[in-house]
Amino acid sequence: MSEVRRTPVALAWLGSAVLSALAASSCAPGPALFVHTARIGQTSQTEIGQPVPFQSITRPDQAGHPRAQFALLRSQQDWDLFFADHPQRAQSKSIDFGKSTVLAAFVDDLGATRLETSHVIDNGSAIHVYMREGFPGDGCSPHSGLAGLPYELLSLPNSKKPVHVHVDSVRDPACGKSVGATLSCRIGSDGKWSTGNVAAKVGDVVECKAEILAGAKMLVDRTWILAEAPKGSVTKLQFQDGGASVRFPVDVFGRYRVHVEATDEDNKRGVAQSLIDAAVAEGTFVEMSWSNFEASSDPSKFPKVELHAADLAGPPAARRDCSVALASGAERPAWCDVQTSSAATLLRLHKDPPGRYMVSVRYQSERTDNSPVLCVRTLSAGAVVTEGCDANVRRAGAIWEIGAIDEASGGFDGRAFLTPKGVASIELDQPLSPGILALPDLERRYVARYYFDAQPAEGFRLAVTQGGSAVVPEVWAIVADGPYAEWDRKFGPGPAPPALAKAAVVAARAGLKVKMIVIESPRVTTRSGLGVGSSLAEISAKLGARVPFVVPALFGKDECAVTDGNVRFSFATCDDARAGGRVTRVVMMANPK
């Protein structure tokens, strides 16, 4: 039985921290379970993915649980143990535990009137369950009519994926005479107003207006909230008509929810909301957006970047590039459409027949450790296929080489494998290969930084090929005893002077050996498929049980890792690893300690 204790969390994309705690399990380890709650008036961000069939199996004989608890019941033994302290025996005769898992949810607020499930989504890496906890409206009786804690039991298909339960708090309509509120939205300034949900496309501008009826009472407050926005969105409400209406641009795929609340002089409230759904359109897309920023952040202060998709058909000299910025007078390829917003770029690829494209991002300005993190994801057939983020420090002019995308599937088709010696032609304890040393832009690929306990590290970000024409994204080959190490011994800690890049290339061509390989691409894995993007559960399933431990960070704050020989799988934190988080980087060392 997997269970958690419920911990209050606010929406991550609204700038609040997400907390979760995993309680001890009484049975064999199962899928991790985490619960996230949002304040009244805010709505949990819905993941993009495939709907999961579910069935509410809530019945009166399940009431009376002695404490607030969320748990996954995977067997009859789990069921009997969970309901052992109930005043009456709850029956499970209709449940086939060979096919189904039961999610038992008992919330801790006796003032709630109900708990119900709205939808369940599988986003590829986890199952997300969305619940609503209802509270009485203004002037209504607080009595819920429930015997004990509000609860919901849910039957889900069996899965080994982590389960995240998102609980939104909603207030029922007021009892007695209250402020009336109606919300209408439309697409553009000449669209048709609708009081229901609105379908939109990325690039549309949505306008919403509120009609407030307070009778003879004075209206003392009107509050607009963008209660829900998709992952990566930086859109903000723009107020019009003295606060009677708002507008906002749809900048990324996903769901947006506009909420308005009006209060009169007697503190009676009226609430209305509208859902705007920018569903993933048919076709293949590459979407670039940002993460790790506050809701109040100014997108104009984010690093300046350009998303590119270069056609891989034909000789290199004849290949066309799709991006926002093209050379003066150049025409955009017919197979590419581009949409941009304040901090997002969307490329639609539609070649006939479907093609292959090298996807990369060019940094036009520097990215520091404290900057927002750039993320790129591919979408096809209405769902997210792959997603990756770049948290590296980048100099202006640097290129993040992400990989080659196959338009037919929306996935990246390049892949390389870890071996005891290294990755493809990059081998530990050996000089860089002649092919790498001959690269004309090797100087531009030089990177020098500090890691662990202020130890200097320097090397080259390299794209490797393996298996014919398969293109694999960058890895960082760190060399031993280069010019940065010598500079550090003479002058102490500090940023590397630009002149060291040229000296490093000369030293590498003279035979400097690779001491470490840093991999931050999900397309460089072990033969069993483990790498960036793997979970602790997946690693333990293939390598045997692994216990994460804290290590000095490679570049930044302390992180967490598990090892397999000279390979280290790193997570952001140990809590993140245990919570179903994913490997952020893989490090191979010539002489692991």
Side-chain angles (χ1 to χ4, degrees):
M1 179 170 66
S2 300
E3 67 176 79
V4 297
R5 63 179 175 86
R6 183 185 181 194
T7 52
V9 299
L11 290 173
W13 294 104
L14 294 175
S16 299
V18 176
L19 306 173
S20 62
L22 180 63
S25 172
S26 60
C27 305
L33 174 63
F34 305 93
V35 179
H36 317 271
T37 64
R39 299 191 302 269
I40 291 179
Q42 294 181 339
T43 305
S44 299
Q45 167 200 312
T46 296
E47 294 284 332
I48 293 178
Q50 299 300 317
V52 175
F54 68 92
Q55 181 180 2
S56 175
I57 55 172
T58 305
R59 295 196 305 269
D61 66 346
Q62 299 155 353
H65 200 61
R67 61 189 178 280
Q69 187 177 12
F70 286 73
L72 292 176
L73 313 180
R74 298 177 288 119
S75 66
Q76 185 63 49
Q77 180 183 4
D78 286 352
W79 179 280
D80 293 341
L81 181 63
F82 185 84
F83 287 104
D85 296 333
H86 275 234
Q88 54 187 330
R89 182 173 178 82
Q91 301 296 318
S92 62
K93 294 179 180 179
S94 62
I95 303 169
D96 182 354
F97 286 107
K99 298 179 180 179
S100 301
T101 295
V102 173
L103 170 62
F106 287 77
V107 296
D108 55 4
D109 197 326
L110 288 171
T113 59
R114 68 189 184 284
L115 183 67
E116 59 190 12
T117 302
S118 59
H119 57 293
V120 180
I121 296 292
D122 182 346
N123 74 345
S125 60
I127 305 298
H128 293 262
V129 179
Y130 296 88
M131 290 184 168
R132 291 191 293 258
E133 183 180 11
F135 288 86
D138 292 335
C140 299
S141 169
H143 179 62
S144 67
L146 298 173
L149 301 172
Y151 63 98
E152 165 89 320
L153 269 75
L154 197 67
S155 175
L156 299 167
N158 281 339
S159 173
K160 295 182 179 180
K161 297 176 181 178
V163 177
H164 291 260
V165 182
H166 306 266
V167 183
D168 294 341
S169 297
V170 297
R171 193 177 297 281
D172 292 337
C175 297
K177 191 174 180 62
S178 64
V179 177
T182 303
L183 186 61
S184 303
C185 296
R186 66 181 181 181
I187 304 300
S189 58
D190 56 355
K192 182 179 179 180
W193 291 103
S194 172
T195 56
N197 296 339
V198 176
K201 305 187 299 296
V202 172
D204 286 344
V205 175
V206 177
E207 293 188 355
C208 296
K209 65 178 181 180
E211 295 183 9
I212 309 298
L213 299 176
K217 299 295 182 180
M218 180 182 297
L219 190 65
V220 297
D221 188 32
R222 185 197 324 248
T223 303
W224 290 92
I225 301 173
L226 185 59
E228 180 180 2
K231 180 179 179 180
S233 172
V234 298
T235 195
K236 293 179 174 64
L237 296 181
Q238 303 164 17
F239 296 96
Q240 304 179 126
D241 305 323
S245 65
V246 296
R247 69 197 302 266
F248 68 93
V250 175
D251 56 351
V252 297
F253 286 120
R255 191 164 72 171
Y256 303 77
R257 189 184 300 273
V258 178
H259 174 101
V260 65
E261 180 175 304
T263 307
D264 68 11
E265 58 185 304
D266 291 336
N267 204 34
K268 290 292 185 76
R269 289 177 295 182
V271 176
Q273 62 180 5
S274 182
L275 179 69
I276 295 89
D277 188 13
V280 179
E282 287 301 315
T284 299
F285 297 85
V286 182
E287 183 182 75
M288 178 180 72
S289 59
W290 296 90
S291 64
N292 285 28
F293 59 86
E294 300 293 335
S296 59
S297 298
D298 181 357
S300 68
K301 304 293 179 60
F302 292 2
K304 302 297 186 291
V305 292
E306 289 178 359
L307 177 63
H308 290 255
D311 189 4
L312 290 175
R319 292 174 180 172
R320 302 289 306 280
D321 183 37
C322 172
S323 71
V324 174
L326 294 173
S328 178
E331 293 185 2
R332 185 168 292 130
W335 44 263
C336 174
D337 299 325
V338 180
Q339 288 182 302
T340 62
S341 64
S342 57
T345 300
L346 182 69
L347 306 182
R348 176 174 175 260
L349 308 175
H350 50 94
K351 196 174 181 183
D352 188 17
R356 293 174 62 248
Y357 314 90
M358 171 54 67
V359 178
S360 63
V361 173
R362 299 178 185 176
Y363 282 79
Q364 297 172 298
S365 63
E366 180 185 21
R367 185 198 175 272
T368 67
D369 274 326
N370 297 322
S371 300
V373 173
L374 184 67
C375 295
V376 173
R377 59 181 178 176
T378 65
L379 308 98
S380 185
V384 176
V385 180
T386 59
E387 181 174 12
C389 298
D390 181 29
N392 294 297
V393 170
R394 298 282 188 176
R395 293 180 294 182
I399 297 178
W400 175 27
E401 294 166 319
I402 303 170
I405 183 177
D406 175 12
E407 181 186 339
S409 66
F412 289 94
D413 61 2
R415 185 168 294 277
F417 297 103
L418 305 178
T419 71
K421 294 182 178 180
V423 180
S425 62
I426 305 172
E427 296 189 1
L428 292 166
D429 208 26
Q430 296 294 322
L432 293 170
S433 68
I436 291 174
L437 293 172
L439 289 172
D441 63 346
L442 191 58
E443 184 176 327
R444 178 182 62 79
R445 296 175 177 274
Y446 177 70
V447 180
R449 295 187 61 189
Y450 286 89
Y451 74 104
F452 293 152
D453 298 321
Q455 300 300 310
E458 60 191 312
F460 303 90
R461 291 195 177 278
L462 304 167
V464 296
T465 59
Q466 183 164 303
S469 61
V471 183
V472 176
E474 62 184 32
V475 300
W476 184 0
I478 298 178
V479 296
D481 299 322
Y484 189 39
E486 179 64 24
W487 185 88
D488 177 76
R489 284 192 289 269
K490 289 182 178 180
F491 302 104
L500 289 188
K502 187 182 294 293
V505 172
V506 172
R509 289 171 177 165
L512 286 184
K513 294 183 178 180
V514 176
K515 69 174 182 179
M516 186 184 301
I517 300 173
V518 180
I519 300 149
E520 293 171 322
S521 164
R523 288 166 297 285
V524 183
T525 68
T526 66
R527 289 286 177 181
S528 61
L530 298 177
V532 172
S534 296
S535 67
L536 179 61
E538 291 167 344
I539 294 172
S540 296
K542 294 180 179 180
L543 301 180
R546 290 292 193 274
V547 177
F549 58 92
V550 176
V551 297
L554 192 59
F555 306 106
K557 299 178 182 179
D558 283 357
E559 56 189 28
C560 189
V562 296
T563 60
D564 182 40
N566 69 333
V567 179
R568 174 179 287 174
F569 301 95
S570 296
F571 298 86
T573 65
C574 288
D575 284 344
D576 186 58
R578 288 187 286 265
R582 301 287 166 166
V583 171
T584 57
R585 65 166 61 92
V586 178
V587 180
M588 299 186 69
M589 300 182 182
N591 298 297
K593 295 181 180 180

